[in-house]
Amino acid sequence: MSRFLSALLALASFALFAHPASADSLACGTYLDAESGTRLTVADGRNARLLREGMAPATYWHRRDGGAAHLYNLDDGYIDDYRVSADGRTLTGEDATFRKTFVLQETGRCANVSAPSPGTCAASMDACMAGMDLAAGTMLKRYCEEGVPYACGRWIETLRDAANPSSPLDAGPPPVCREGTAAFDAAACERAVATALGAALAEAATSLYADDAPLAPTQLDTLPALCERQGSAKTCGIVAEELWNGGRYADARTALRDACERGGDPEACRHTASLASLDDSALRAAPADALPCGRYVAETGLMSELDFGDRGRVEGIGGALRARLQDGRVRIRHDKGGDFVFRRLGDDRLLGLDDWNRYALYRREGDARTCAAPVAFVETAMVEDCPQPGAESAAACCARGSLHGCNIAGHQAALANDWPGAKPYYLKVCAGGVRVGCENLVQVFAHIEDGGIPEALDALCAANPKHVACDVGETTNWDALGLARGLDDVMRELEREENAPQE
């Protein structure tokens, strides 16, 4: 009888750990969504992980409420709702678009987990997650320290927002717009709003591809410990980005290593492997005083290779670009209005700093070459003096000599698919030495067959070899644009024929 009782107790103990102790918890173990191959591992009465092929594990809390289960994604800050089968072994997602069905494949022993302290995020999961996006910085920092990676990201985002200049709209309505006061003036308010909106739109356009402002040194000092304490792929990944942007390359590499080894992020592992050969002294290399010359290749980054040649010309990513040296960094302007940014590490390596090439290490292939010095092209800054919307039309602004107005008028024509009508406006901007005007002319050529556009840039260059039109004209692959335009025309014609009424 005693052996029977011992066996019975052992069986009861196994059942206690392998299956839900009540209707308020999920069974511990591994669940599988057969269609996607995604695995959900429930570790204890609160914590779970989602494992997907080729991706970092996602951290979750879970809570069961009778026949419903809620999974709280701690990395990305959202809640997934599931229906629980009568036997507790199947979880069926209620999201019609990304529905998953997890079936318990292997039961596991539940680890002990203490009850959450009152006032913590874990103690009120629904309210905490629902209010995360609107929470103040101090609350986000507290949730972050409690182990919620999404709160860490949001807290760092508030620090980043504070580092960026405020928008003209942040100050609120001017006195002339405050109805019921002596200062209210409807006409003046309309003009003030138009001016502020125009300035905000101009700021948005110019900052879209601008460099991110680094956090303050004292703020950067706190980030390594945050990653070290948590070790989650999400938190360490965000920390690494901020440290890299702030020039703390060695600390950023350490955070990447944690995201790889402790967080299980395969992308972080790729970057860690690429940067492993660099010692700290290489990462502290002095600012560059000359452009690279020769062919550089990388295993990560947007471009697998960059070939630096004469006059700062760079071959890569399907065409020619232009490099320049600015504040000790190598900058290559791309066709979206921003720069690819690199740091030289001696004569044979480049480190990617911008969002597209972050963590990429480029190594020179072949012997050193000699390249002709780059040309310093003369550019004119665009003066934002034609606020839109406003009482004055963009065309009228252009007519009174505003290149800003000409550029807006060109945009208005282009948005209406009137590319021939956009051309003269953009040409005025380009002739005035504003780079974006010349680049917009290239966009006109990409949409309509107009051999006069390359000729116009050549004419401006012939009159002034340092005009920005020379740079844009020389680094534009006109043949490729013409071929792409021809293919688009063929596709549109085929589409028209396909949609034409059948006789």
Side-chain angles (χ1 to χ4, degrees):
M1 179 66 69
S2 60
R3 277 184 292 184
F4 172 74
L5 287 175
S6 297
L8 187 61
L9 288 173
L11 180 62
S13 176
F14 174 78
L16 177 65
F17 289 117
H19 298 285
S22 70
D24 295 325
S25 59
L26 294 176
C28 292
T30 300
Y31 298 74
L32 172 67
D33 175 55
E35 183 175 347
S36 66
T38 303
R39 293 181 179 275
L40 175 69
T41 300
V42 176
D44 53 44
R46 181 166 67 243
N47 297 288
R49 300 181 91 198
L50 199 69
L51 306 174
R52 294 156 292 183
E53 185 69 27
M55 300 180 67
T59 54
Y60 281 79
W61 285 333
H62 65 86
R63 181 176 66 83
R64 183 173 175 179
D65 184 11
H70 311 289
L71 297 183
Y72 303 81
N73 187 312
L74 303 185
D75 291 334
D76 297 320
Y78 63 84
I79 306 171
D80 279 334
D81 297 320
Y82 289 81
R83 296 193 307 275
V84 185
S85 63
D87 62 4
R89 299 181 65 88
T90 302
L91 310 177
T92 304
E94 297 185 0
D95 189 314
T97 305
F98 302 103
R99 179 175 294 158
K100 287 181 172 60
T101 300
F102 289 106
V103 179
L104 185 62
Q105 300 290 302
E106 182 180 348
T107 56
R109 184 183 181 91
C110 280
N112 292 326
V113 60
S114 58
S117 302
T120 61
C121 189
S124 53
M125 299 179 192
D126 290 284
C128 175
M129 298 298 281
M132 193 78 72
D133 286 329
L134 298 178
T138 52
M139 185 66 73
L140 291 169
K141 186 173 186 292
R142 197 184 88 187
Y143 290 157
C144 171
E145 292 169 347
E146 292 173 13
V148 182
Y150 182 69
C152 297
R154 288 281 299 113
W155 173 59
I156 293 174
E157 189 177 324
T158 63
L159 300 180
R160 192 187 308 122
D161 289 343
N164 290 316
S166 60
S167 165
L169 300 181
D170 292 341
V176 291
C177 293
R178 296 171 187 168
E179 293 189 47
T181 67
F184 177 71
D185 184 324
C189 175
E190 184 178 346
R191 291 192 297 273
V193 169
T195 300
L197 183 58
L201 291 173
E203 176 192 315
T206 55
S207 65
L208 183 60
Y209 296 102
D211 295 349
D212 293 329
L215 297 181
T218 54
Q219 295 170 333
L220 292 171
D221 290 342
T222 66
L223 297 186
L226 190 64
C227 167
E228 184 179 352
R229 184 167 57 248
Q230 282 202 15
S232 80
K234 189 75 172 185
T235 299
C236 290
I238 295 172
V239 165
E241 288 184 10
E242 294 299 332
L243 290 170
W244 195 264
N245 188 50
R248 309 282 184 91
Y249 306 118
D251 288 338
R253 183 176 56 182
T254 300
L256 280 175
R257 186 167 60 243
D258 282 342
C260 166
E261 296 176 357
R262 296 170 60 195
D265 185 355
E267 187 68 14
C269 292
R270 288 180 62 230
H271 294 307
T272 299
S274 174
L275 298 171
S277 63
L278 295 176
D279 56 30
D280 289 354
S281 61
L283 293 172
R284 293 193 297 268
D289 57 7
L291 288 178
C293 181
R295 182 172 179 265
Y296 289 73
V297 298
E299 296 178 356
T300 64
L302 178 65
M303 299 158 288
S304 60
E305 64 180 66
L306 294 167
D307 197 339
F308 292 84
D310 290 334
R311 303 172 69 246
R313 186 181 173 97
V314 184
E315 300 289 344
I317 198 167
L321 301 171
R322 184 81 67 184
R324 69 185 187 280
L325 199 65
Q326 183 176 320
D327 299 327
R329 293 179 172 182
V330 178
R331 307 184 76 95
I332 304 175
R333 186 177 177 88
H334 55 65
D335 63 356
K336 298 296 186 292
D339 291 328
F340 301 127
V341 187
F342 302 90
R343 180 183 180 88
R344 288 195 71 175
L345 306 181
D347 293 331
D348 59 353
R349 290 176 294 187
L350 293 171
L351 202 59
L353 304 185
D354 60 276
D355 290 350
W356 300 97
N357 300 287
R358 184 184 292 121
Y359 312 132
L361 178 63
Y362 288 80
R363 301 175 185 274
R364 191 181 64 205
E365 279 196 348
D367 296 333
R369 301 200 318 241
T370 301
C371 296
V375 176
F377 294 101
V378 178
E379 299 185 32
T380 301
M382 175 87 78
V383 178
E384 312 285 353
D385 57 359
C386 183
Q388 295 293 310
E392 187 180 27
S393 71
C397 285
C398 181
R400 65 170 167 80
S402 166
L403 296 181
H404 184 215
C406 296
N407 201 51
I408 295 173
H411 288 344
Q412 291 171 343
L415 290 172
N417 207 33
D418 179 14
W419 293 99
K423 176 186 172 181
Y425 290 115
Y426 289 149
L427 184 55
K428 285 186 179 181
V429 182
C430 179
V434 179
R435 176 181 288 273
V436 71
C438 303
E439 293 175 339
N440 288 335
L441 274 177
V442 174
Q443 291 303 312
V444 174
F445 182 86
H447 285 84
I448 60 173
E449 185 175 356
D450 187 341
I453 291 177
E455 293 176 359
L457 295 181
D458 288 344
L460 291 171
C461 184
N464 178 7
K466 291 189 176 182
H467 195 288
V468 69
C470 305
D471 189 19
V472 174
E474 185 179 331
T475 56
T476 297
N477 191 332
W478 302 103
D479 291 338
L481 288 176
L483 179 60
R485 183 182 61 242
L487 291 174
D488 286 342
D489 291 342
V490 170
M491 294 301 296
R492 280 193 293 269
E493 183 60 32
L494 290 175
E495 185 177 352
R496 279 194 295 269
E497 292 178 359
E498 184 179 335
N499 295 330
Q502 301 296 316
E503 295 182 358

